[in-house]
């Protein structure tokens, strides 16, 4: 499901911002549509050892390695259970001068909503399941609120870079650990993979 860029540009002269809403653990969340690259069906996710529980694993997205985040676990809820409507929202977050692509595991995708500044309320200092730092605000959705996520913070790569320091070093012979590069690099999906002959030539 590709996001139509025409929708993003609609009503920009009226200070309207568009958000994609989705469900996680019975709660409705939203991220800026400008941060969403596409929505894909939940498929094979490869688990990576020695990573936090909220990192579901990685997927192969047209040749690029994309980590998948289970926000339910990060928000201290029960892990998400994959179902018929489960999908992965592919987002792009800024990491300094570069952009990193990450996936958010969602129970289902709801809709695209238009919000004006006056439609967004400040997040509460208490009572929410999500850290206030992760929220841009709240928008009323019927009798409940839709929580607007700050993708730059909730999907911060700084937490990924700190993982090696948080993992205990077991004694004895163990499998080599997976090291995370200081600046995660995601290959361009349009690039042609190098052949074995080209690799040997280098």
């Amino acid at each position: 499901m590709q996001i139509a860029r025409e929708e993003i540009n609609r009503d920009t002269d009226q200070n309207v911002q568009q958000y994609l809403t989705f469900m996680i653990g019975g709660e409705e969340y939203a991220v800026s549509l400008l941060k969403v690259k596409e929505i894909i069906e939940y498929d094979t996710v490869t688990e990576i050892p020695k990573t936090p529980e909220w990192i579901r694993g990685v997927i192969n997205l047209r040749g690029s390695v994309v980590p998948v985040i289970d926000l339910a676990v990060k928000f201290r809820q029960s892990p998400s259970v994959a179902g018929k409507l489960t999908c992965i929202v592919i987002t792009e977050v800024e990491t300094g001068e570069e952009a990193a692509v990450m996936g958010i595991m969602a129970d289902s995708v709801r809709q695209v909503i238009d919000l004006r500044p006056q439609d967004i309320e400040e997040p509460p200092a208490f009572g929410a399941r999500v850290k206030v730092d992760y929220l841009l605000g709240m928008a009323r959705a019927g009798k409940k609120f839709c929580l607007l996520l700050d993708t730059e913070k909730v999907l911060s790569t700084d937490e990924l870079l700190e993982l090696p320091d948080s993992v205990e070093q077991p004694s004895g012979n163990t499998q080599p650990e997976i090291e995370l590069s200081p600046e995660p690099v995601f290959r361009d999906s349009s690039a042609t993979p190098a052949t074995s002959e080209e690799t040997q030539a280098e």
Side-chain angles (χ1 to χ4, degrees), residues 63-179:
S64 296
V65 178
V66 177
V68 177
I69 310 301
D70 187 350
L71 290 182
V73 177
K74 194 165 190 179
F75 297 158
R76 298 182 179 180
Q77 303 174 27
S78 300
S80 300
V81 178
K84 294 182 179 180
L85 299 179
T86 305
C87 57
I88 299 176
V89 180
I90 305 298
T91 62
E92 188 173 77
V93 297
E94 298 297 328
T95 58
E97 298 180 354
E98 298 184 0
V101 178
M102 297 188 184
I104 298 175
M105 182 179 179
D107 297 335
S108 63
V109 169
R110 294 291 303 275
Q111 59 186 334
V112 173
I113 59 175
D114 296 336
L115 294 177
R116 296 173 176 81
Q118 58 267 32
D119 299 327
I120 301 175
E121 300 184 18
E122 291 291 329
F126 59 90
R129 295 183 179 182
V130 185
K131 290 173 58 177
V132 176
D133 294 345
Y134 291 160
L135 298 178
L136 292 173
M138 304 188 308
R140 187 172 295 279
K143 296 182 179 180
K144 300 183 67 176
F145 283 96
C146 176
L147 303 180
L148 310 181
L149 297 175
D150 185 339
T151 53
E152 308 300 334
K153 293 182 179 179
V154 77
L155 300 177
S156 171
T157 55
D158 292 340
E159 294 180 279
L160 297 177
L161 298 178
E162 293 173 357
L163 293 183
D165 296 333
S166 63
V167 176
E168 295 183 359
Q169 300 293 336
S171 58
N173 295 329
T174 59
Q175 295 293 329
E177 295 184 2
I178 294 179
E179 296 183 357

Side-chain angles (χ1 to χ4, degrees), residues 12-84:
T12 52
D13 56 336
Q14 301 180 18
N15 293 323
V16 172
Q17 295 188 19
Q18 294 189 304
Y19 292 83
L20 175 72
T21 71
F22 48 86
M23 301 298 295
I24 297 177
E27 296 289 342
E28 188 172 10
Y29 299 90
V31 295
S32 171
L33 196 61
L34 292 171
K35 298 293 184 178
V36 178
K37 295 176 65 68
E38 60 181 304
I39 302 168
I40 63 175
E41 182 181 355
Y42 186 86
D43 202 350
T44 303
V45 176
T46 304
E47 294 184 6
I48 303 297
K50 296 186 181 297
T51 55
E53 294 181 354
W54 46 267
I55 299 181
R56 193 81 173 198
V58 298
I59 60 173
N60 183 348
L61 183 63
R62 295 184 294 276
S64 296
V65 178
V66 177
V68 177
I69 310 301
D70 187 350
L71 290 182
V73 177
K74 194 165 190 179
F75 297 158
R76 298 182 179 180
Q77 303 174 27
S78 300
S80 300
V81 178
K84 294 182 179 180

